[in-house]
Amino acid sequence: MMNNSEHKYSKRQVEDLLEACLNKTLGEIDKKHVFDRTKTNPKITGIAGDVIEQSVFGYDANSDSSPDLNIDGVLTELKTTGIRISKKNDEEYEAKEPMSITAVSPNVIIGEEFSDSRFWHKLAHLLLVYYLYASDKTVLAAEYANFLVKGYQFLEFSEDDKRVLEQDWLIVRNFIRSLDGNEDLYPEISHLRDKLLFIDTAPKWPNPPRFRLKRTVVSNIVQKHFNGSLEQLPKSYSSYDEIDKKCHEISKLYKNKTVAELMSIFSIGGKIDKGIGERLVVKMFGGTAKKMQDIDLFSKIGLLGKTIVLTEKGKRTEDMKLFRINFESIANVDEQFIDSVFYDYFAENQILCIVFEEHDSSDFGKNTFLGFKRLSFDDGFIEMNVRTVWDRIRELVVYKELKDVPILDTNGNPRVNKTGVMQTAPNFPKSSESVVFVRGDSSDSTKKPETVNGISMYRQYIWIKGSYLSQKLDEKEFL
């Protein structure tokens, strides 16, 4: 087996090799005929990385836990990473998936410190090679030959990011130490997810799990490489405990102030609506952006800001819209739930609820700030509520069971809009049926721009019921 000392390059040599690959397909640069293996193994994984390793750098894949390359004396891990056009902005890229780092080996990690761990040795110096996964569907390995190499970068994490990675790793390491070798409790590692900022572990026991950088973290790296930097907060945070503490300090300062008063304090002008919650959070944390996802930290860790308005009796006033459904992905029968956007959204993101109390339903500016609560979604919720809806949507689309049905009023009669046209909607899971449900949304009620199975409809979004959120918020203390 070759070792990294034999994979020696200067940085200039690496740059020359990769510059020659840019905007060429993986098939075009495959001089070692790596894709020939797909003829007998059409679903082989890791084919893109194999092409870069063997046809560009000239070495065979191996399972060595050491970094792959020696570049000017610096041991560097090579990662070939898929990117795709962002679902939110077709002029930006996002990561196709999380980035696998190294195995979670209980017998090894219990004796490690972060600075000499296998985990950090793999992450300390990275060479990322990006290829464009130009498909909304899962494709066979041979089709990777059509994907273009779009870029590369040498990456070293900042000191702030290194502290976050260390804190995350310590949470896992210390948890494993606390088990004192009791293998029956190893499955509990997956329950650490809501404490980890940058990493997670997958798959679940009894399958041997690996450390991964969350897809949100990889997307953040990708976006900064191709599109420039996101805004940095004036203070760094290396754990959710530190973020929660800051939220508590903010709440002590501003609790019971009205939205109008807060806008004046933070010099925010313009329209007062539900979007003001995110703008206020950014200002309260010392930033200037309008959205939390324009802040580097929040973007990386997948912390989403949502305004929650409660009535004076503590009841939730409305449901929460989460994300738009990609029907090309839904129609892909080869996609597994764990690889879907649905799983990704609920498993990787957490919601920072900016809670207000409503005093006048016609004047948002009179709502008073109560504080923050942070919500995450555990495996049980995802399996019971999210997977069930994902399965049902797939059944309707794949098996052509989708129908456009009349919308009924409380008396069971068809609703008619102002133009006299009967209102209809597809028979996706509704709020009366499940906690997580589908609802169309549009800024123009006369247009139905989405077409699925020949049925015209509004753009369809995944929502979560307000009554469920109210219940979960009642169970949580304010930060």
Side-chain angles (χ1 to χ4, degrees):
M1 182 182 294
M2 299 175 72
N3 60 53
N4 52 47
S5 65
E6 295 175 87
H7 307 151
K8 290 183 178 180
Y9 300 88
S10 68
K11 186 174 182 180
R12 180 60 184 271
Q13 285 176 316
V14 171
E15 290 172 341
D16 288 345
L17 286 170
L18 292 175
E19 287 289 337
C21 298
L22 295 181
N23 292 315
K24 291 182 180 178
T25 66
L26 290 168
E28 288 173 332
I29 65 178
D30 181 24
K31 62 185 180 182
K32 292 295 182 77
H33 309 291
V34 176
F35 278 104
D36 287 352
R37 293 161 50 203
T38 67
K39 296 174 182 177
T40 55
N41 194 346
K43 293 188 177 181
I44 192 171
T45 59
I47 192 73
D50 291 345
V51 170
I52 298 300
E53 289 173 354
Q54 297 174 40
S55 291
V56 178
F57 289 99
Y59 68 91
D60 292 333
N62 62 69
S63 57
D64 192 346
S65 62
S66 301
D68 302 300
L69 304 174
N70 183 324
I71 302 176
D72 290 332
V74 177
L75 297 183
T76 302
E77 179 74 4
L78 172 65
K79 290 289 184 184
T80 303
T81 303
I83 59 176
R84 61 190 182 193
I85 303 296
S86 171
K87 297 292 189 296
K88 298 177 181 178
N89 184 343
D90 59 12
E91 294 183 355
E92 295 183 353
Y93 294 125
E94 64 184 15
K96 173 181 175 286
E97 58 196 359
M99 182 185 292
S100 178
I101 302 303
T102 192
V104 180
S105 303
N107 293 335
V108 174
I109 195 173
I110 57 171
E112 289 182 321
E113 297 301 327
F114 178 75
S115 60
D116 62 8
S117 67
R118 292 182 180 183
F119 175 81
W120 179 241
H121 284 176
K122 285 281 191 177
L123 285 176
H125 308 282
L126 291 173
L127 171 59
L128 306 179
V129 179
Y130 298 112
Y131 67 91
L132 181 60
Y133 191 90
S135 174
D136 282 322
K137 299 181 178 180
T138 303
V139 302
L140 295 175
E143 295 181 55
Y144 278 67
N146 301 318
F147 294 158
L148 293 167
V149 175
K150 296 302 292 183
Y152 66 92
Q153 74 174 118
F154 296 92
L155 177 68
E156 294 186 6
F157 290 98
S158 68
E159 285 302 313
D160 286 344
D161 285 351
K162 182 180 176 181
R163 277 193 292 273
V164 174
L165 290 164
E166 181 173 9
Q167 289 303 311
D168 280 357
W169 181 86
L170 284 171
I171 288 171
V172 177
R173 198 272 318 260
N174 292 345
F175 175 78
I176 293 174
R177 280 185 175 179
S178 74
L179 301 182
D180 199 25
N182 186 347
E183 295 185 10
D184 291 339
L185 297 178
Y186 283 163
E188 298 296 315
I189 291 174
S190 65
H191 297 167
L192 300 175
R193 190 179 63 228
D194 66 345
K195 297 179 174 64
L196 304 174
L197 292 187
F198 282 10
I199 66 173
D200 63 13
T201 60
K204 298 176 185 175
W205 290 93
N207 301 305
R210 295 180 63 82
F211 284 113
R212 306 187 307 177
L213 289 181
K214 293 181 183 179
R215 195 180 74 84
T216 52
V217 173
V218 186
S219 286
N220 178 272
I221 293 168
V222 169
Q223 288 164 3
K224 285 196 285 188
H225 175 68
F226 286 100
N227 303 104
S229 298
L230 297 171
E231 183 179 346
Q232 303 286 326
L233 292 176
K235 183 179 183 301
S236 62
Y237 301 86
S238 59
S239 68
Y240 269 116
D241 283 344
E242 292 182 5
I243 293 172
D244 292 349
K245 182 179 178 181
K246 177 63 175 179
C247 287
H248 179 73
E249 292 171 358
I250 291 169
S251 298
K252 285 179 67 177
L253 284 172
Y254 302 112
K255 185 178 179 180
N256 294 324
K257 291 194 179 296
T258 67
V259 171
E261 288 172 334
L262 290 171
M263 289 181 69
S264 176
I265 291 170
F266 291 105
S267 302
I268 299 175
K271 184 180 178 182
I272 300 179
D273 57 19
K274 288 181 294 182
I276 197 63
E278 276 195 81
R279 293 185 69 183
L280 285 169
V281 169
V282 172
K283 288 281 192 179
M284 289 168 171
F285 272 82
T288 61
K290 292 184 178 180
K291 294 185 177 180
M292 286 178 61
Q293 289 305 289
D294 292 331
I295 298 296
D296 186 57
L297 172 68
F298 299 145
S299 169
K300 266 188 287 209
I301 67 177
L303 188 61
L304 307 175
K306 294 288 185 180
T307 298
I308 302 286
V309 181
L310 302 175
T311 65
E312 292 177 346
K313 293 183 179 180
K315 299 298 182 183
R316 179 77 174 88
T317 58
E318 58 185 16
D319 303 320
M320 181 187 290
K321 183 167 72 172
L322 299 180
F323 62 91
R324 184 180 170 187
I325 299 173
N326 180 333
F327 285 102
E328 288 191 25
S329 177
I330 285 289
N332 177 15
V333 295
D334 292 324
E335 183 173 75
Q336 301 297 309
F337 174 65
I338 199 168
D339 298 320
S340 70
V341 171
F342 283 60
Y343 178 85
D344 192 49
Y345 186 96
F346 285 92
E348 286 213 342
N349 294 313
Q350 296 195 38
I351 296 176
L352 182 64
C353 298
I354 309 122
V355 186
F356 295 92
E357 184 174 78
E358 182 179 82
H359 302 290
D360 184 342
S361 60
S362 64
D363 189 346
F364 199 90
K366 292 181 180 178
N367 292 343
T368 51
F369 174 61
L370 298 182
F372 301 100
K373 294 190 178 186
R374 181 163 57 85
L375 292 181
S376 59
F377 302 98
D378 61 28
D379 292 340
F381 177 91
I382 293 172
E383 191 66 26
M384 180 180 298
N385 296 291
V386 183
R387 181 168 194 150
T388 302
V389 168
W390 181 80
D391 282 337
R392 182 55 182 154
I393 297 170
R394 297 238 298 180
E395 289 173 359
L396 292 171
V397 174
V398 172
Y399 298 113
K400 311 299 182 184
E401 297 175 2
L402 193 62
K403 299 175 183 177
D404 200 28
V405 297
I407 298 175
L408 306 179
D409 61 22
T410 53
N411 296 318
N413 300 315
R415 288 183 180 175
V416 178
N417 64 24
K418 295 178 181 178
T419 61
V421 178
M422 185 173 66
Q423 295 180 9
T424 61
N427 58 329
F428 290 125
K430 296 185 170 43
S431 61
S432 59
E433 304 165 29
S434 58
V435 169
V436 176
F437 63 95
V438 181
R439 179 186 293 163
D441 197 13
S442 175
S443 58
D444 185 345
S445 62
T446 65
K447 295 181 180 179
K448 294 186 173 183
E450 189 91 71
T451 302
V452 183
N453 291 9
I455 298 173
S456 296
M457 61 186 73
Y458 298 131
R459 293 185 177 91
Q460 301 295 307
Y461 292 83
I462 291 297
W463 296 65
I464 190 166
K465 284 179 73 167
S467 56
Y468 171 82
L469 287 170
S470 181
Q471 173 195 332
K472 298 308 292 183
L473 289 171
D474 282 346
E475 296 171 2
K476 287 185 171 289
E477 298 294 328
F478 281 99
L479 299 177

